Amino acid sequence: MEEKRTELSELGEFGLIDKLAKSIELKNESSVLGIGDDAAVIDRGEEFGLLSTDMLVEGIHFDLSYCPLPHLGYKAIAVNVSDIAAMNGNPEQVTVSLALSNRFSVEAVDALFDGMRAAASDYNVDIVGGDTTASQSGLVISISVLGKAAKDKVVYRKGAGTNDILCATGDLGAAFIGLQVLEREKQTFLANPDMQPQLDKYQYIVQRQLKPSARMDIVHELAELDIVPTSMMDISDGLASEVFHLSKNSGVGFAIYEDQLPIDKQTYDTAVEFNLDPITAVLNGGEDYELLFTIKQEDHAKLDKHRDIHFIGHAQALEKGNLLMTKNGNQVPLKAQGWDHLG
């Protein structure tokens, strides 16, 4: 009898993670939280340690035909730091592991590390080790980050309560639209190598794709204002997908308001140029690495004048579901297409 074969695409990235997580038993008392949040949580006595790992694979997560190696190095560190920010923690150390094909010279690896060193400096983290090995097909980057948080300050995806306010930092959809610009310019170049890329008017959104920032500034500002979010995560797979994660983990639904979604003018205009709906880009684009979090009603006044934190909705009873309140007053069930790297 032939053994049943289940394709990875049937489960998808998150389904596969859920399946594997169910088979893992934590045996050490110090392992406070394993799989299921932006970082693992480890009891270190006076405080919690935070540990997260991310992998970037050539051809899946980046394309070296338009991604400069220093930018890629910076991004690799930043996206890991973002996971620590999402737990309301502070990063301290990173390890860097690389799988390299013989396409890469010593100078190329140096250029990659130039970006990593710049990010390490910006986020005040130490590169303390890692591994290198050969690859038969391109470049693979795996980074682990170790951080810390006070035990009463760590924030999980769970914890949002009914009527909490849903907040998002920065603006959304820019990285996804920036990727569309880069892909178009690549195709133009392939068709005619004499054509120079036309990126000048797209600088902001292209930068958001190639060299995103982790929002540690927001983590520090929340601490200064004595605000501990009730739940939080970073927006790496699209706003709608992350809202569903907070909903599932916190046991609440969310209503988000279309007219409150933060979108940069360059993102909006370029989406229209590409015949894409800007709101769809905001909801389902990936790699913004902004923070999505909930706060109690009483903390609203402390953030009311903050120019980079936007109140985009509120938590509601779980049975009400996750809804998009459109500009014309309709309630539409939220759909999460997100980014699935196994789909």
Side-chain angles (χ1 to χ4, degrees):
M1 184 175 169
E2 192 177 333
E3 274 192 40
K4 180 175 183 274
R5 175 186 164 90
T6 306
E7 299 299 330
L8 291 173
S9 57
E10 285 183 45
L11 286 182
E13 182 181 359
F14 301 119
L16 179 62
I17 291 168
D18 286 344
K19 179 176 173 53
L20 296 175
K22 284 174 187 167
S23 67
I24 294 172
E25 180 186 348
L26 299 180
K27 296 186 174 169
N28 292 295
E29 279 186 27
S30 57
S31 299
V32 177
L33 178 72
I35 298 168
D37 216 302
D38 286 87
V41 180
I42 300 156
D43 194 334
R44 298 203 311 211
E46 295 282 309
E47 62 197 12
F48 281 147
L50 303 170
L51 177 63
S52 184
T53 297
D54 236 355
M55 195 180 300
L56 297 174
V57 179
E58 185 175 359
I60 302 292
H61 302 100
F62 60 89
D63 185 332
L64 288 177
S65 66
Y66 53 69
C67 186
L69 285 166
H71 285 53
L72 178 61
Y74 192 100
K75 180 175 183 174
I77 299 288
V79 302
N80 278 271
V81 168
S82 184
D83 283 335
I84 302 300
M87 305 293 290
N88 204 37
N90 285 290
E92 294 189 320
Q93 290 88 20
V94 295
T95 60
V96 177
S97 295
L98 302 175
L100 297 154
S101 75
N102 58 12
R103 282 173 36 227
F104 293 90
S105 63
V106 172
E107 289 77 14
V109 178
D110 261 345
L112 183 71
F113 259 78
D114 281 345
M116 290 184 177
R117 284 187 288 265
S121 175
D122 285 353
Y123 298 115
N124 198 29
V125 297
D126 298 323
I127 299 173
V128 294
D131 192 18
T132 57
T133 189
S135 162
Q136 289 192 327
S137 57
L139 173 64
V140 179
I141 305 169
S142 178
I143 299 207
S144 294
V145 58
L146 185 64
K148 68 178 182 181
K151 289 188 173 180
D152 60 343
K153 297 290 195 297
V154 69
V155 179
Y156 302 94
R157 294 177 182 182
K158 64 183 181 184
T162 307
N163 296 322
D164 280 1
I165 300 167
L166 184 65
C167 308
T169 64
D171 59 80
L172 303 175
F176 173 73
I177 299 299
L179 181 62
Q180 309 314 303
V181 171
L182 289 165
E183 286 287 351
R184 181 182 68 184
E185 294 304 315
K186 177 186 175 181
Q187 295 308 318
T188 301
F189 175 79
L190 290 174
N192 181 0
D194 293 329
M195 289 287 288
Q196 290 298 309
Q198 303 295 315
L199 298 176
D200 287 353
K201 73 169 185 170
Y202 306 111
Q203 277 189 341
Y204 176 68
I205 58 176
V206 165
Q207 176 88 349
R208 293 278 278 156
Q209 167 57 220
L210 294 179
K211 193 184 169 193
S213 296
R215 297 309 306 264
M216 283 306 304
D217 56 325
I218 297 292
V219 173
H220 297 318
E221 287 174 27
L222 291 174
E224 288 168 9
L225 292 167
D226 198 26
I227 295 173
V228 178
T230 54
S231 68
M232 182 157 62
M233 65 183 302
D234 70 346
I235 304 173
S236 56
D237 296 303
L239 174 64
S241 177
E242 316 304 16
V243 167
F244 275 95
H245 282 309
L246 289 187
S247 171
K248 177 183 174 183
N249 283 271
S250 291
V252 296
F254 287 97
I256 64 175
Y257 293 86
E258 181 184 358
D259 60 357
Q260 299 300 315
L261 297 176
I263 182 167
D264 183 80
K265 184 177 188 305
Q266 193 174 103
T267 304
Y268 188 96
D269 291 347
T270 311
V272 171
E273 180 188 332
F274 277 76
N275 293 315
L276 296 169
D277 175 28
I279 297 302
T280 300
V282 167
L283 292 174
N284 293 309
E287 299 199 295
D288 287 310
Y289 297 103
E290 296 292 346
L291 292 175
L292 178 70
F293 59 94
T294 52
I295 58 171
K296 293 185 180 299
Q297 291 276 346
E298 55 261 36
D299 284 329
H300 176 272
K302 294 180 184 177
L303 295 176
D304 194 28
K305 298 286 190 273
H306 198 293
R307 61 183 180 82
D308 215 23
I309 293 176
H310 312 281
F311 307 115
I312 64 169
H314 64 268
Q316 57 190 12
L318 184 61
E319 55 267 25
K320 290 186 177 179
N322 294 296
L323 303 171
L324 176 67
M325 321 301 277
T326 67
K327 287 176 183 171
N328 55 15
N330 292 329
Q331 297 185 16
V332 181
L334 195 61
K335 289 189 172 65
Q337 292 162 350
W339 283 30
D340 188 341
H341 298 304
L342 293 179

